Amino acid sequence: MANVFSEANFEDEVLKSDIPVLVDFWATWCGPCRMIAPIIDQLSTELAGKIKVGKVDVDANNGLAATYGVRTIPTLLVIKDGEIMDTMVGASSKDAIMQRLRPFM
C-alpha cells in the first residue's frame, strides 16, 4: 500500500526523504486515478527501499496541489532532495512509469 502524504507530513516524508519519492496527486472521483491506483500500490511494494511511493489527495490537500502546479490528475512527480526531477501527467502503464523511474534507482 502506498504512503499517504498530506500538507502535515509532506516536508518530512517527501522533501527531506533520503531516497527519491514518487508522489501521485489524485482524487477519489477521478477515473484515471482509480485506474492507476493498483499500479501505484504495486510500485510501493516493489520499489521499497529504492523509491518511496505515496499519494496526495488533492481535495484534502489543495495547498500542495497549488504549490506544485497540479492542474490535471493524476499527476505523478518524482522528487529527489526536495527538487522535482520528473513529471508525468495522466494515466500511464506500469512499464511506462517504471521506465521514467529507472534513472532514479
Side-chain angles (χ1 to χ4, degrees), residues 41-91:
D41 287 338
Q42 288 171 8
L43 292 175
S44 179
T45 301
E46 293 171 14
L47 300 176
K50 296 177 189 170
I51 295 180
K52 186 186 293 187
V53 178
K55 303 170 78 116
V56 172
D57 182 339
V58 297
D59 289 332
N61 300 280
N62 56 6
L64 281 175
T67 297
Y68 289 93
V70 174
R71 297 176 191 269
T72 303
I73 53 175
T75 291
L76 306 176
L77 300 181
V78 178
I79 298 177
K80 181 178 178 187
D81 299 324
E83 299 290 326
I84 298 171
M85 306 303 288
D86 198 359
T87 302
M88 298 167 256
V89 178

Side-chain angles (χ1 to χ4, degrees), residues 2-104:
N3 295 289
V4 176
F5 302 137
S6 67
E7 291 170 359
N9 71 4
F10 197 82
E11 183 174 351
D12 289 336
E13 291 290 325
V14 178
L15 301 179
K16 293 181 179 176
S17 176
D18 55 355
I19 60 174
V21 183
L22 175 66
V23 181
D24 173 19
F25 285 86
W26 72 289
T28 56
W29 48 264
C30 167
C33 299
R34 289 193 310 269
M35 203 169 73
I36 68 166
I39 295 170
I40 299 301
D41 287 338
Q42 288 171 8
L43 292 175
S44 179
T45 301
E46 293 171 14
L47 300 176
K50 296 177 189 170
I51 295 180
K52 186 186 293 187
V53 178
K55 303 170 78 116
V56 172
D57 182 339
V58 297
D59 289 332
N61 300 280
N62 56 6
L64 281 175
T67 297
Y68 289 93
V70 174
R71 297 176 191 269
T72 303
I73 53 175
T75 291
L76 306 176
L77 300 181
V78 178
I79 298 177
K80 181 178 178 187
D81 299 324
E83 299 290 326
I84 298 171
M85 306 303 288
D86 198 359
T87 302
M88 298 167 256
V89 178
S92 297
S93 69
K94 183 178 177 183
D95 289 341
I97 295 169
M98 280 298 297
Q99 184 175 25
R100 300 284 287 270
L101 293 175
R102 279 194 186 93
F104 306 103

